[in-house]
Amino acid sequence: LFGTISGQGGIQSHLRWLAKALVESQHEVLIITTQPLTNKGFNWNEANKIGVKVHQLDYDNSLNYFLRKIIQIRGLTKVVRRFAPDIYFGVGTSWYLSLLPWLFPKKARSIFHEVMSGLGGRWRDSRWGVRWCFDDVVGQSSGVAKNFTENFRWRKTVPAIPAIPEPLEITAALPQPMVKKVESGTAKAALFSRLAPWKKALWLVQQWDDLKDVLSELHIHGTGPEESLIRAYIDEQGIGDRVKCFGRYPEGQAYVDLLSSYDLTLLPTVGAEGAPLVLLESMACGVPFVAYGVGGIPDYGTDNPNAIVVAPEPWMTNQAREYAAVDQFQSVSAFVTGVKQMTQKLAQGEINQVQLQQYYLNRYSYQVLKQAWLSYLCTP
């Protein structure tokens, strides 16, 4: 497996839990990572206990760039040929990732998992190497698979298998939700996200005049470049009694308990998303969500009457939506309409929180995705 395992995030979680699933099924696993290893998000004792091998590319900053690359490649070649894998599985963006199949024995099957949006295609994008060097590509969702096929001119079928999120049903005690009505105007909503411009958290707070009659409170959880702007706007408008920005949110059971305290979660992102894990976590807790249908998010709304996926605006359908065109979002009101529809459904008892949690367990739980990946990887 090739990718980043240190820190928090979708790629890290996916690789760690995929490695665990493979080892549990008696497969031998080597993880290759280019990033410095830390203890944050990666339990070395657990890795050693379950038998996962890890190789970090050697970083000797005392050497010049080209000599360092030569040493890295030589060391990597020895490691992968000694391991002699049957399958090479890559996640993320890196020229090392894309060119590594050249180092493996001919019998190794190379698979790239697109966990981002599938958009891109600029000539410097390392995913062009996937087209020339990999045997197979898997998309995070059906939409992501379609995007990758079109943008990188992939000529084979791209199946869709979700990444494995941190399974809250294993790492925490999930709540037992109850079907409940939420009186109009009393719903508490939250956004959990990195507060980057394309996530549109600041924009969401700026829509409070249109939301204050259907929400009792709006809470923003996360850190990022917009955090100070959000706090300043709340202070300037004098709306801090109902709109609050809390900064970094907790992990584990504390996160589950916090998320479960809300009636709905919101994610008006317009970025090049794969499939945000926060929406899976919301469903795992039985909390309905409203989100824009970019990247792989529409799959979360398939056969799911307890969530609202707002159709993207026309300008969001091209690659400019990655970041260049986000200012056009200022005039968009479709998301606000989606929030109002959700609060109305909550008030009328049309949201089944128990059914929503079961939707997650049936489609995205660790045991379900473990079997999906084992079936795919172990089929010739």
Side-chain angles (χ1 to χ4, degrees):
L1 311 178
F2 184 102
T4 302
I5 53 174
S6 295
Q8 304 293 338
I11 289 178
Q12 294 92 323
S13 174
H14 181 37
L15 285 177
R16 293 196 292 261
W17 286 94
L18 180 59
K20 183 177 178 66
L22 289 165
V23 170
E24 286 174 348
S25 302
Q26 309 303 311
H27 298 289
E28 192 176 356
V29 177
L30 167 69
I31 297 177
I32 299 168
T33 181
T34 61
Q35 300 298 320
L37 298 173
T38 68
N39 289 324
K40 184 173 177 57
F42 186 77
N43 189 319
W44 290 103
N45 292 330
E46 181 182 354
N48 293 330
K49 183 171 64 178
I50 67 175
V52 175
K53 301 178 179 66
V54 180
H55 174 75
Q56 179 196 354
L57 291 189
D58 183 28
Y59 278 87
D60 187 345
N61 292 324
S62 65
L63 302 174
N64 68 55
Y65 177 83
F66 293 104
L67 183 57
R68 186 166 69 245
K69 293 299 180 185
I70 291 172
I71 292 174
Q72 287 177 343
I73 292 172
R74 285 181 59 187
L76 192 54
T77 301
K78 291 180 181 179
V79 169
V80 299
R81 290 184 176 171
R82 189 185 308 125
F83 188 72
D86 298 299
I87 293 174
Y88 168 54
F89 183 89
V91 183
T93 55
S94 163
W95 282 107
Y96 272 124
L97 179 154
S98 296
L99 299 177
L100 210 56
W102 292 102
L103 302 181
F104 288 115
K106 295 296 183 183
K107 69 181 180 70
R109 175 190 177 198
S110 54
I111 302 168
F112 176 70
H113 189 201
E114 175 61 293
V115 296
M116 297 180 293
S117 67
L119 298 174
R122 297 181 180 89
W123 68 272
R124 294 183 64 181
D125 194 316
S126 64
R127 287 173 291 177
W128 280 111
V130 171
R131 184 188 177 198
W132 303 111
C133 302
F134 275 70
D135 298 317
D136 297 296
V137 172
V138 180
Q140 160 77 11
S141 70
S142 57
V144 168
K146 181 176 182 291
N147 287 342
F148 189 91
T149 299
E150 294 175 350
N151 282 276
F152 293 95
R153 303 172 193 170
W154 187 258
R155 297 174 181 174
K156 298 171 67 176
T157 299
V158 179
I161 307 178
I164 304 177
E166 178 181 348
L168 295 181
E169 71 276 13
I170 295 175
T171 62
L174 290 180
Q176 294 185 336
M178 298 175 59
V179 178
K180 62 177 181 178
K181 291 184 179 181
V182 181
E183 185 179 344
S184 181
T186 67
K188 287 180 60 178
L191 177 147
F192 292 88
S193 175
R194 172 167 163 72
L195 304 182
W198 57 91
K199 298 290 188 178
K200 309 312 294 182
L202 174 60
W203 175 88
L204 181 64
V205 171
Q206 292 170 338
Q207 310 313 302
W208 181 245
D209 274 348
D210 288 331
L211 295 172
K212 63 184 180 182
D213 292 333
V214 296
L215 298 177
S216 65
E217 295 184 45
L218 172 62
H219 294 178
I220 307 297
H221 295 275
T223 61
E226 283 198 340
E227 181 179 357
S228 60
L229 299 176
I230 292 170
R231 292 182 184 274
Y233 182 84
I234 291 172
D235 290 341
E236 290 168 3
Q237 299 298 313
I239 55 177
D241 58 329
R242 296 175 64 187
V243 182
K244 306 176 190 298
C245 182
F246 291 98
R248 187 179 302 278
Y249 50 91
E251 302 172 6
Q253 189 62 52
Y255 172 53
V256 168
D257 294 342
L258 176 62
L259 200 162
S260 303
S261 69
Y262 292 102
D263 298 304
L264 70 158
T265 58
L266 310 176
L267 190 63
T269 178
V270 298
E273 302 286 350
L277 298 184
V278 67
L279 299 181
L280 287 180
E281 293 159 350
S282 187
M283 289 190 286
C285 295
V287 179
F289 68 81
V290 180
Y292 255 115
V294 296
I297 293 176
D299 277 22
Y300 291 165
T302 302
D303 299 324
N304 184 3
N306 301 299
I308 292 180
V309 177
V310 180
E313 303 300 318
W315 65 267
M316 293 185 196
T317 60
N318 55 44
Q319 292 183 33
R321 78 162 181 245
E322 289 190 62
Y323 304 117
V326 294
D327 287 343
Q328 298 181 42
F329 194 77
Q330 297 301 324
S331 62
V332 175
S333 60
F335 188 86
V336 172
T337 300
V339 177
K340 292 180 177 180
Q341 290 173 344
M342 175 59 78
T343 58
Q344 184 178 19
K345 293 179 73 171
L346 283 165
Q348 295 175 350
E350 296 175 1
I351 295 297
N352 187 320
Q353 290 84 354
V354 176
Q355 187 183 65
L356 180 62
Q357 185 182 68
Q358 197 60 48
Y359 181 92
Y360 162 82
L361 294 173
N362 290 342
R363 294 177 180 237
Y364 298 105
S365 65
Y366 174 66
Q367 289 301 326
V368 169
L369 294 182
K370 173 183 175 179
Q371 291 306 314
W373 279 109
L374 289 176
S375 176
Y376 175 77
L377 294 174
C378 300
T379 299

